[in-house]
Amino acid sequence: MEQKNITAAEDYAGLDEWINNNKINNLFLVCDESLKFLNDINAKLKKLSDKGINFTKFNEFCPNPLYQSVVSGVEALRKAQCDGIIAIGGGSAIDVAKCIKLYSNMSGNGADGDYLKQTIVPNNIPFLAVPTTAGTGSEATRYAVIYYDGKKQSVSDYSCIPDTVLMDSSVLNTLPLYQKKSTMCDALCHAIESFWSVNSTDESKVLSETAIKLVLENMEGYLANTDSGNQGMLLAANTAGKAINITQTTAGHAMCYKITSLFNVAHGHAAALCVRRLFLWMLDNLDKCIDKRGSTYLAKTFDEIAAAMGCENPKEAAGKFNDIFDSLELDIPIADELQFSELENSVNPDRLKNNPVELDLTSIRELYHRILS
């Protein structure tokens, strides 16, 4: 089923239609701390409550959500006999809601990680997401991340993708500027990495191209907090998410995760730090192409990325990406030798398989020194 996008127009008429079409009476509301700042949505939720819609609010989760939080959410949803799920928040809130949906019709109570061991059985519980950042694209992907016994668990199933996404420009009005910059970077990195991924398809490339153009077209208005700029960036992030849903991320993301934890920077900030150096490095190492379609195909792909970015050639496009990063005035951490060692050992080799140019330990070490110096 193709995901439907709705807006906040006409006092959230699209949300009313979603509730009515799905005959929803009891909504399970998964939300993070951002909800208390969202005056327009809160006003709408009150109107729905006044009209007889029951809400069960669930916010018992942290930014890196735990498996047990999802189990508690499943228990709460079952107890309230909810017939629809709405997630309002960033990537963590949406990931938690995805897992609650997936696990809601599984057997047992999820003890001892049981839900992680069971085969997922898709269900048709109506699921609407309201992303409150324009970056993660979580609302458009089949992936969710939770933690069990301190270990990251990647959950994946197409049935966890929300059937409807409410893109409300007002939710970005109160987002801190640093978060706006970093989430925008994440969307742009998703689009570019998906474009060059070894898993790219004709469909994913169209989505990547569209997302890149949307980011660049709406960047100025988005950073100035205009309604049109915010709405455009929400669409850009969603479109980039749809591309990543097909291709997965590549070395830019594989290399960024440890930067986030070591230097306490936002995920999109860390991703952009990596992509700004990875882009040019790959152009200089096309002879190490591992995409089965060949180096000529890859060179053509970089030409297509350049065109999407409004540049005459790939090196100009790599320079433009770097100029965008510089214009955002995001910090560049400086690593010491111990940190470089930690970074080199942190990279997930499976994610590197999606990268079109081969990266060995020497290349990774060289790149990290370019990224953090």
Side-chain angles (χ1 to χ4, degrees):
M1 181 176 64
E2 185 174 351
Q3 187 177 71
K4 182 179 180 180
N5 292 338
I6 60 175
T7 70
E10 299 179 22
D11 192 25
Y12 297 92
L15 177 57
D16 290 330
E17 183 180 355
W18 177 77
I19 290 172
N20 293 332
N21 288 348
N22 288 293
K23 299 180 173 58
I24 294 171
N25 296 302
N26 298 300
L27 260 174
F28 192 71
L29 173 59
V30 181
C31 56
D32 59 24
E33 288 297 309
S34 67
L35 180 60
K36 63 186 177 185
F37 302 108
L38 308 180
N39 295 333
D40 292 350
I41 283 193
N42 277 308
K44 180 59 181 180
L45 295 180
K46 185 179 185 305
K47 288 180 182 179
L48 290 171
S49 180
D50 291 342
K51 289 181 180 179
I53 299 296
N54 298 311
F55 287 91
T56 299
K57 186 176 178 180
F58 182 77
N59 58 6
E60 299 171 14
F61 57 90
C62 52
N64 293 309
L66 306 178
Y67 169 80
Q68 188 54 50
S69 297
V70 174
V71 172
S72 298
V74 171
E75 182 181 346
L77 180 141
R78 289 172 176 170
K79 183 177 180 180
Q81 297 183 321
C82 294
D83 49 12
I85 299 172
I86 181 169
I88 302 177
S92 294
I94 295 173
D95 279 4
V96 167
K98 285 177 173 180
C99 291
I100 290 172
K101 180 182 190 295
L102 288 179
Y103 298 158
S104 62
N105 66 341
M106 287 189 178
S107 60
N109 59 10
D112 300 320
D114 186 49
Y115 292 150
L116 294 168
K117 303 169 191 172
Q118 292 186 45
T119 300
I120 292 172
V121 180
N123 64 65
N124 295 317
I125 298 174
F127 180 18
L128 180 143
V130 186
T132 56
T133 65
T136 70
S138 177
E139 77 281 358
T141 75
R142 64 187 186 275
Y143 308 109
V145 172
I146 54 177
Y147 289 79
Y148 179 67
D149 281 350
K151 296 180 180 178
K152 179 180 175 182
Q153 306 291 322
S154 294
V155 180
S156 177
D157 194 87
Y158 281 98
S159 70
C160 80
I161 301 175
D163 54 81
T164 304
V165 176
L166 169 56
M167 295 186 185
D168 179 4
S169 63
S170 72
V171 304
L172 301 181
N173 290 339
T174 57
L175 193 66
L177 182 59
Y178 172 66
Q179 294 300 326
K180 293 197 78 168
K181 290 177 179 179
S182 61
T183 50
M184 179 186 73
C185 284
D186 197 20
L188 183 56
C189 289
H190 280 164
I192 291 173
E193 287 188 61
S194 177
F195 216 135
W196 68 41
S197 170
V198 300
N199 303 315
S200 67
T201 64
D202 289 344
E203 179 186 2
S204 74
K205 282 188 168 186
V206 170
L207 290 166
S208 294
E209 178 184 4
T210 302
I212 289 170
K213 290 179 177 178
L214 282 168
V215 170
L216 298 180
E217 288 167 5
N218 290 283
M219 184 182 304
E220 184 177 343
Y222 167 74
L223 294 175
N225 223 10
T226 68
D227 285 343
S228 61
N230 287 344
Q231 195 71 23
M233 199 59 70
L234 284 168
L235 181 58
N238 179 262
T239 306
K242 289 176 179 176
I244 287 297
N245 190 48
I246 296 171
T247 67
Q248 299 181 281
T249 52
T250 66
H253 271 66
M255 296 181 68
C256 83
Y257 292 108
K258 194 65 175 179
I259 292 176
T260 298
S261 59
L262 270 183
F263 301 102
N264 194 31
V265 299
H267 168 71
H269 180 176
L273 281 166
C274 294
V275 170
R276 66 194 272 271
R277 296 305 187 214
L278 178 66
F279 200 150
L280 188 58
W281 182 89
M282 289 205 297
L283 292 176
D284 290 336
N285 289 273
L286 289 178
D287 58 311
K288 299 176 182 176
C289 174
I290 57 173
D291 192 316
K292 293 180 180 178
R293 293 167 291 194
S295 57
T296 301
Y297 175 87
L298 180 58
K300 181 174 179 292
T301 295
F302 277 113
D303 287 339
E304 293 167 348
I305 294 172
M309 295 181 69
C311 298
E312 292 186 2
N313 58 68
K315 289 208 170 182
E316 183 183 324
K320 182 171 183 175
F321 186 96
N322 194 60
D323 289 344
I324 290 169
F325 181 89
D326 288 343
S327 73
L328 297 175
E329 299 182 335
L330 296 171
D331 292 339
I332 302 173
I334 304 299
D336 58 35
E337 286 308 310
L338 181 60
Q339 290 169 325
F340 278 126
S341 179
E342 286 187 69
L343 288 162
E344 292 160 14
N345 293 321
S346 72
V347 180
N348 184 339
D350 287 336
R351 285 185 181 262
L352 292 182
K353 293 176 183 177
N354 300 329
N355 205 69
V357 177
E358 185 176 20
L359 284 160
D360 56 18
L361 185 59
T362 300
S363 301
I364 291 170
R365 182 179 298 119
E366 177 190 340
L367 272 167
Y368 272 129
H369 277 80
R370 292 188 185 187
I371 291 164
L372 300 171
S373 62

